[in-house]
Amino acid sequence: MKFNCSKNDLIQALQIAGRAVATKPQTPILSGIYMKASEGTLELQATDYEIGVVCKIEADVEEEGILVAPGRYFSEVSRNLPGNTVTLTNDNNDNTIHISSGSAHFTLLKMNSEEFPCIRPLNNASHFTIRDTVLKKLIRKTSFACANDETRLIFTGCLLELEEEAVRMAATNTHRLSLDQEVLEGYEGDKKQVIIPARILGELEHGLNSDIPCDVTVNISYNEISFSFDNLYLTSRLIEGQFPDYHRVIPSDFKTRVTIDTAAFMAAVNRVSLIARSSEYNIVKLDFSMGQVHISSNSPEIGHAEETVPVVIDGPDVQIAFNGTYITDVLKHVDTKEFYLSLNESLNPAAVRETEDEAFIYIVTPVRVSR
Amino acid sequence: MSLIHVLDDGTINKIAAGEVVERPASVIKELVENSIDAGAKRIEVEIMAGGTSFMRVTDDGCGMTMEDAQMAVKRHATSKIREADDLVTIGTLGFRGEALPTIASVSRFSMMTRRAGDELGTSVRITGDGEPQVEETGCRVGTTIRVEDLFFNTPARKKFMKTTHTEGGKISECLTKLALSHPEIAFRFISNNKVSMTTPGTGRLEDAITAVYGTQAGEALLTVGFEDTDVKITGFLTKPSMIRSSRNWQTFIVNDRLVESKSMSKALDNAYHSLLPKAGYPLAVLFIEVPQRSVDVNVHPRKIEIKFEDEGRMFKAVYKSVLDAIRPSGQKLTEVAAVVEHPERRYTMEGMTLNTAPAVPQNFHEERSSGMAQSFSSAVASGTVADMEAFAEAQQLVQMERRTENSSYAPTEAAYQEKVAEQPLIDMEMDRQLSMVPIGQVALCYIIAQDPESLYIIDQHAAHERILYDKFSRMADGIPSQQLLVHPIMSFGRQEMELLESHQALLHSLGFDMEAGGPQEVRLKAVPSDIPDSEAETVLRKIVEALLSMHSPTAAEIRHACIATTACRAAIKRGEELNLRQMQIILDELAHTERPYTCPHGRPTILRFESKDLAKMFKRT
């Protein structure tokens, strides 16, 4: 096999594919990147059995063929090549890959391509298409709320719920829940719920960065999901299990609704957290009264911080304390200039909503502070 | 013929022997207890081959007349109680009147006894089920009992005896405890013609402990003294540096009776918590005195188990007495400090109110703030310059108000903490002249210090670790609890459920909130903020476990492992060079920790060489 391609294209493709290369491979072959050259395209594949990535780039193929290169070395070598184009050749009788660019020449030992578990498109799966911007927004507004803790697997993923005309995503780490909804056109099928690992959503969000809007085709089988768009194909296992019923978590009504300036409030909470963060739990107290919110934190070892931000309060005054991270996390993803914070008592969950987007809601539980 | 018939005495005795006489050690226990009840001053015990072939107990007690001696070997014959009512106030060790006949029924038994006033003594011989042979004989004052060929006529039980070595060990262990429980009696234990233990019988417990456990243990003793309205606990413990591999070294004596009590051992463990490495138990001899009426000793034929009226209260009493003992004497200093801190605090508070009062008079303030709310909302809504100014002004006011609120406790608290920290230091140096002075550092790991009497070697890492552990433990209280959106359901046993329900307040203060979620199920609604969700369940189960053993865990205890690790990481390591000032700080702070002897993992922090130890090393004695 022999081909020439642009170095930048190759590096970009390797960067995306490289994320699926197993860091601690169960078998050595999973540390490799699979390459297939045919008719003007080079296809790269990588998988760690959890997620899989297929990426295609243009290439001037002189001789078709298949090979598996050691992932880490191939990526590092490519990134550091001096020239603008890369020539890769492989003698079928030989066990080596020759990479040359400009004045540099590398020889890498190839891996046995027959062992590589090639990624095949999902068959017999239900599918739908969604605009990339819509999908990206759904991911961005929910996946941050997932748990990192591997012990309870279902919370490390986002719930994807499909209905006729609507697609919803929800994520929780049991202390907070983020839920967003969009209109879905052209989905005909049963109501469906799957849990997608946050990891693939992160990769997907990363990959959905083209300036030209496109459609993403999503295929869902009983235990796998795949996303394909542009020249990319991502696939992942689904998380098995029953996601808790998020409807029950959302309070039906709130006594107090506070309208707050997003940027000002986030900056203030961040500042006050400087003191609170000294302990492992980042407790920020909020006191809503008289047209302002008084934000304070106290650490017996360090000191005290406070700040006030003007707000509009509809309803009775409230004092409440939160883990500051849970507040700043969501505000990073609030897109409107102002947001609503809806509250009941100081020990009831609160809700964050955008002023212009009814569909998005974030529920957060307060902390009980002694004294 | 009827199938059911009354058993003859011989059979009854053999059945009873199963309960009372389990092995040679139980024979020794019964006989020695009889000697103690007889008011003996010296007791000599001799055994051969672990007691399986020969046992002899000789005392100089009151002895018996011939008539009494004949009665004594009959079942349920006793001098110790007369009627059932006496059971409530039992003061003697034995009372059932079962021991002698049952022992006699399973061995070749002989007894020689003489009272001080009598000319001739009595000899009683019994072989198994045979009739007693009674005759007059010459012998010393007191009673001697020989038991030979134990279980010769009950082969089944004989088979269950362990090796002579093991049985000998059991006897030795049992005698040790008996000797400790009666330091006023001189014990002498001869095994296979060798004297293996003697106690002086001076009446001083520390002498008995030294005699039994050796001088090393004798020197590491800590005194326990605790007295309450109806509970009195005295005795000795060893410093955590002196630990043993099993609980055999723990002796509990309730009203002069040796007992085994799981809850007391647990109380001991809990008090030593964080002082000991995992595999180890402190040596302890505790005398517990409670009113006779509040205990029931008639639970078990061998009387090693005992029932307290209020088990939980006993647990707490033992826990507290042990804790008081293992805390250093420096504890007194903090008491002094506590007296000082009160006026100090009041003073600061007055200071703060004085500062703010002239600035904003109270009633004026209230008027302003009621009008303020309006100006705020209008300021936000319209956003005109004038309104914004009003807002800024109002905000300033509110802030000032808040500052006074906060300052009334936050800085004051800091100030008084400082005072607490400083005060004892001064007191210590002035009152006691006990200051340890650092001399230098060895191998960048050990601090060498001295006071006029002794030389000290301190492990700098272990010492700092202990200081930090205590500091972090204090911070563990009042950790906020994070509520859960998705409530995990945990299932518990019936008993555990009851415990959870009756300790709602405790769990609440530790940061757990829960409600019943079904039969034997609870729905967890909030967990402490610093405990990862995945561990919350484990922690809760540990708390329940602690509650089951009647111990209410504190916030610091449930985080013991975590705090210990944090302290270990944050502490100065081996290899860090310290100057004299830094060493002094470590020594002073260590002196103020609650338990300075060991690091949280149980390794020792400080070694002391007294001048006499040094003299010994230089062969000056």
Side-chain angles (χ1 to χ4, degrees):
Chain A
M1 133 175 183
K2 183 172 182 183
F3 66 84
N4 303 306
C5 70
S6 135
K7 187 182 85 173
N8 285 342
D9 285 358
L10 182 66
I11 293 174
Q12 227 166 39
L14 282 172
Q15 227 161 31
I16 297 167
R19 298 193 162 237
V21 173
T23 43
K24 288 174 187 151
Q26 298 103 316
T27 59
I29 194 71
L30 294 182
S31 67
I33 289 179
Y34 171 97
M35 279 182 281
K36 182 176 168 189
S38 60
E39 284 177 45
T41 44
L42 173 68
E43 185 183 306
L44 293 105
Q45 287 195 9
T47 180
D48 61 358
Y49 281 135
E50 277 300 317
I51 65 171
V53 176
V54 180
C55 184
K56 286 180 186 165
I57 57 170
E58 278 177 27
D60 167 20
V61 178
E62 289 178 25
E63 189 189 328
E64 296 189 349
I66 292 171
L67 67 78
V68 177
R72 213 183 101 211
Y73 290 100
F74 185 48
S75 304
E76 278 176 17
V77 164
S78 309
R79 221 179 305 141
N80 288 294
L81 288 173
N84 289 326
T85 54
V86 180
T87 309
L88 190 144
T89 51
N90 160 240
D91 187 349
N92 278 340
N93 307 321
D94 197 355
N95 243 351
T96 52
I97 309 164
H98 303 278
I99 307 156
S100 46
S101 171
S103 53
H105 184 87
F106 284 84
T107 310
L108 293 178
L109 288 179
K110 71 170 187 181
M111 302 170 90
N112 183 1
S113 53
E114 278 163 25
E115 285 177 15
F116 192 86
C118 279
I119 299 159
R120 291 179 216 296
L122 285 184
N123 293 324
N124 305 329
S126 53
H127 59 91
F128 64 95
T129 33
I130 185 168
R131 297 297 286 179
D132 61 344
T133 47
V134 172
L135 181 61
K136 195 169 173 177
K137 180 196 155 227
L138 283 172
I139 296 172
R140 207 173 68 81
K141 293 218 163 180
T142 54
S143 65
F144 72 92
C146 289
N148 297 321
D149 182 355
E150 293 281 328
T151 51
R152 282 177 307 166
L153 217 51
I154 52 166
F155 297 122
T156 61
C158 283
L159 176 79
L160 176 75
E161 193 174 61
L162 296 170
E163 262 174 49
E164 258 178 65
E165 306 291 297
V167 54
R168 244 171 262 132
M169 275 179 79
T172 181
N173 72 349
T174 73
H175 297 301
R176 42 107 180 266
L177 169 102
S178 197
L179 173 70
D180 200 10
Q181 175 174 336
E182 285 289 338
V183 177
L184 180 67
E185 280 161 13
Y187 175 75
E188 287 163 17
D190 297 337
K191 190 172 166 172
K192 203 173 186 65
Q193 281 198 338
V194 291
I195 307 170
I196 313 169
R199 182 173 163 214
I200 190 72
L201 293 175
E203 304 301 342
L204 185 61
E205 198 186 342
H206 221 251
L208 289 170
N209 54 2
S210 93
D211 297 330
I212 312 146
C214 64
D215 282 337
V216 181
T217 308
V218 184
N219 279 282
I220 303 171
S221 79
Y222 71 100
N223 67 350
E224 275 183 281
I225 188 164
S226 74
F227 303 90
S228 56
F229 56 96
D230 287 349
N231 48 11
L232 264 179
Y233 180 85
L234 301 171
T235 173
S236 168
R237 275 171 192 273
L238 292 171
I239 297 175
E240 282 175 48
Q242 180 64 45
F243 201 83
D245 181 7
Y246 58 83
H247 297 286
R248 291 173 49 183
V249 164
I250 302 170
S252 49
D253 55 8
F254 293 97
K255 290 181 194 156
T256 306
R257 191 182 78 172
V258 191
T259 315
I260 312 177
D261 182 291
T262 314
F265 185 68
M266 181 157 81
V269 172
N270 268 329
R271 270 190 292 276
V272 169
S273 293
L274 291 175
I275 297 297
R277 265 204 303 270
S278 67
S279 46
E280 285 163 56
Y281 34 92
N282 173 7
I283 304 301
V284 172
K285 290 182 198 167
L286 306 179
D287 180 353
F288 295 92
S289 65
M290 294 190 289
Q292 59 178 358
V293 54
H294 176 255
I295 311 158
S296 66
S297 73
N298 190 17
S299 169
E301 291 280 285
I302 312 292
H304 184 81
E306 56 184 328
E307 183 159 350
T308 44
V309 173
V311 296
V312 179
I313 303 173
D314 291 331
D317 292 353
V318 185
Q319 289 188 347
I320 195 163
F322 290 110
N323 181 335
T325 321
Y326 293 165
I327 299 296
T328 47
D329 273 359
V330 63
L331 295 184
K332 276 181 223 157
H333 301 99
V334 165
D335 300 321
T336 51
K337 189 180 170 300
E338 288 183 325
F339 72 96
Y340 297 129
L341 181 65
S342 306
L343 303 151
N344 279 322
E345 309 283 328
S346 62
L347 290 180
N348 296 108
V352 170
R353 280 176 185 276
E354 294 182 334
T355 44
E356 279 137 40
D357 184 359
E358 280 287 303
F360 171 72
I361 186 163
Y362 177 82
I363 305 290
V364 55
T365 53
V367 291
R368 170 165 58 83
V369 188
S370 53
R371 240 202 318 218
Chain B
M1 198 181 122
S2 151
L3 283 175
I4 295 174
H5 50 89
V6 175
L7 295 172
D8 63 81
D9 273 359
T11 318
I12 293 173
N13 279 344
K14 277 190 204 164
I15 294 171
E19 292 171 30
V20 181
V21 185
E22 189 184 34
R23 55 176 9 136
S26 25
V27 172
I28 294 290
K29 179 172 181 289
E30 294 296 337
L31 295 182
V32 171
E33 281 184 352
N34 278 345
S35 298
I36 293 168
D37 284 343
K41 289 276 160 288
R42 314 184 66 81
I43 298 174
E44 192 174 278
V45 177
E46 186 179 355
I47 60 164
M48 301 287 277
T52 51
S53 66
F54 174 79
M55 288 181 275
R56 175 176 65 83
V57 176
T58 303
D59 67 54
D60 61 351
C62 59
M64 284 177 277
T65 62
M66 181 181 271
E67 202 184 335
D68 282 347
Q70 276 176 293
M71 282 299 284
V73 293
K74 288 196 178 149
R75 198 166 163 73
H76 295 303
T78 182
S79 61
K80 296 167 186 176
I81 56 171
R82 289 203 167 273
E83 53 195 29
D85 283 353
D86 293 346
L87 281 175
V88 187
T89 52
I90 292 161
T92 52
L93 296 176
F95 57 84
R96 288 175 176 244
E98 280 177 325
L100 284 187
T102 46
I103 293 170
S105 71
V106 291
S107 66
R108 296 180 216 282
F109 175 90
S110 77
M111 174 168 79
M112 295 206 289
T113 181
R114 182 166 76 89
R115 293 194 306 171
D118 296 348
E119 265 172 37
L120 274 176
T122 313
S123 147
V124 180
R125 283 168 190 282
I126 308 172
T127 304
D129 304 332
E131 277 299 304
Q133 301 168 337
V134 185
E135 56 193 49
E136 285 193 326
T137 182
C139 64
R140 286 196 301 180
V141 173
T143 308
T144 298
I145 291 174
R146 288 159 184 270
V147 176
E148 286 163 90
D149 288 338
L150 187 65
F151 301 138
F152 78 99
N153 55 352
T154 50
R157 187 151 287 272
K158 188 159 185 152
K159 251 204 278 190
F160 277 98
M161 283 209 284
K162 302 270 162 53
T163 60
T164 55
H165 184 76
T166 317
E167 297 297 345
K170 294 269 180 200
I171 292 177
S172 162
E173 185 189 309
C174 161
L175 263 184
T176 303
K177 294 198 166 182
L178 284 166
L180 289 174
S181 68
H182 289 277
E184 75 285 358
I185 299 173
F187 279 83
R188 199 172 141 86
F189 175 47
I190 303 161
S191 174
N192 295 340
N193 297 324
K194 268 192 286 182
V195 176
S196 78
M197 182 196 85
T198 54
T199 61
T202 55
R204 280 159 44 95
L205 179 58
E206 49 271 51
D207 292 344
I209 294 177
T210 312
V212 170
Y213 291 132
T215 43
Q216 208 194 348
E219 279 167 15
L221 291 180
L222 295 168
T223 315
V224 177
F226 174 85
E227 202 162 350
D228 204 342
T229 47
D230 48 1
V231 183
K232 190 177 163 198
I233 301 176
T234 53
F236 291 94
L237 301 162
T238 51
K239 289 175 187 160
S241 53
M242 173 103 191
I243 55 154
R244 293 290 167 241
S245 56
S246 83
R247 286 196 202 278
N248 286 343
W249 299 66
Q250 298 178 353
T251 308
F252 298 102
I253 299 137
V254 176
N255 294 351
D256 290 337
R257 186 182 302 281
L258 275 172
V259 297
E260 281 170 20
S261 160
K262 280 210 179 103
S263 78
M264 284 187 207
S265 301
K266 191 86 191 163
L268 202 59
D269 289 355
N270 282 333
Y272 270 82
H273 157 87
S274 95
L275 289 177
L276 293 178
K278 265 208 175 113
Y281 302 95
L283 192 158
V285 182
L286 293 182
F287 280 83
I288 297 157
E289 282 173 49
V290 289
Q292 287 293 349
R293 289 181 176 280
S294 71
V295 289
D296 183 1
V297 290
N298 197 12
V299 181
H300 189 277
R302 284 192 289 136
K303 304 172 208 107
I304 52 163
E305 274 173 41
I306 191 164
K307 244 194 183 143
F308 290 103
E309 219 168 45
D310 188 348
E311 197 95 358
R313 183 167 144 56
M314 284 311 298
F315 179 91
K316 280 181 194 139
V318 173
Y319 180 76
K320 186 172 182 317
S321 64
V322 173
L323 208 60
D324 287 348
I326 55 182
R327 275 185 190 160
S329 46
Q331 193 62 20
K332 280 183 193 129
L333 294 172
T334 47
E335 274 168 32
V336 176
V339 179
V340 181
E341 100 195 11
H342 287 299
E344 199 66 39
R345 190 177 187 179
R346 198 174 303 134
Y347 165 75
T348 346
M349 283 194 23
E350 275 168 18
M352 297 321 282
T353 38
L354 268 177
N355 282 345
T356 53
V360 187
Q362 201 58 40
N363 48 359
F364 166 66
H365 190 94
E366 271 169 18
E367 269 173 31
R368 280 300 291 255
S369 50
S370 59
M372 223 153 31
Q374 288 172 343
S375 62
F376 276 163
S377 42
S378 59
V380 174
S382 62
T384 63
V385 180
D387 279 341
M388 283 313 275
E389 271 172 10
F391 171 74
E393 195 185 324
Q395 198 181 20
Q396 234 174 9
L397 260 173
V398 175
Q399 272 180 359
M400 200 174 328
E401 185 189 12
R402 282 219 168 84
R403 210 159 286 148
T404 61
E405 265 172 31
N406 283 327
S407 57
S408 63
Y409 70 90
T412 323
E413 207 163 48
Y416 110 71
Q417 272 175 0
E418 246 170 59
K419 281 283 181 273
V420 173
E422 277 169 14
Q423 211 67 44
L425 255 179
I426 297 157
D427 280 3
M428 181 163 89
E429 277 158 20
M430 294 204 314
D431 284 359
R432 291 177 144 212
Q433 300 269 303
L434 162 133
S435 52
M436 239 192 261
V437 183
I439 309 169
Q441 196 186 15
V442 174
L444 295 182
C445 182
Y446 306 102
I447 300 170
I448 311 298
Q450 64 170 34
D451 66 12
E453 287 301 307
S454 311
L455 172 76
Y456 299 90
I457 304 180
I458 297 112
D459 182 324
Q460 64 187 40
H461 173 69
H464 198 211
E465 207 175 332
R466 165 55 67 185
I467 294 166
L468 292 175
Y469 177 84
D470 276 29
K471 190 169 128 192
F472 294 149
S473 296
R474 279 196 298 277
M475 280 162 55
D477 282 321
I479 279 176
S481 77
Q482 172 74 55
Q483 300 198 10
L484 292 162
L485 266 183
V486 183
H487 303 156
I489 300 218
M490 296 172 64
S491 53
F492 287 99
R494 196 177 300 278
Q495 197 191 356
E496 293 169 322
M497 280 298 283
E498 277 169 22
L499 278 172
L500 285 175
E501 264 160 44
S502 57
H503 290 87
Q504 284 278 359
L506 170 78
L507 290 163
H508 191 74
S509 71
L510 291 175
F512 287 95
D513 267 345
M514 61 196 74
E515 63 183 23
Q520 303 186 25
E521 277 183 347
V522 289
R523 181 186 283 275
L524 197 56
K525 289 172 68 189
V527 295
S529 304
D530 62 332
I531 292 179
D533 289 355
S534 49
E535 280 169 35
E537 185 168 338
T538 331
V539 172
L540 190 59
R541 289 204 185 272
K542 272 194 192 145
I543 294 175
V544 174
E545 212 172 279
L547 289 174
L548 275 175
S549 58
M550 283 174 306
H551 168 59
S552 310
T554 64
E557 268 174 48
I558 59 177
R559 296 178 177 82
H560 166 69
C562 169
I563 294 177
T565 318
T566 321
C568 183
R569 294 229 178 91
I572 48 167
K573 301 278 174 326
R574 172 199 183 123
E576 257 176 74
E577 199 172 339
L578 302 175
N579 62 32
L580 285 179
R581 180 82 195 105
Q582 290 169 316
M583 292 182 212
Q584 184 73 60
I585 293 170
I586 289 186
L587 296 184
D588 291 345
E589 286 195 17
L590 183 65
H592 289 101
T593 56
E594 285 185 0
R595 288 167 264 189
Y597 307 114
T598 59
C599 80
H601 300 105
R603 276 179 286 118
T605 54
I606 183 162
L607 299 179
R608 177 181 185 179
F609 297 87
E610 286 179 63
S611 63
K612 66 171 191 222
D613 299 327
L614 296 171
K616 216 183 267 172
M617 287 181 212
F618 285 106
K619 310 251 183 263
R620 273 172 168 274
T621 43

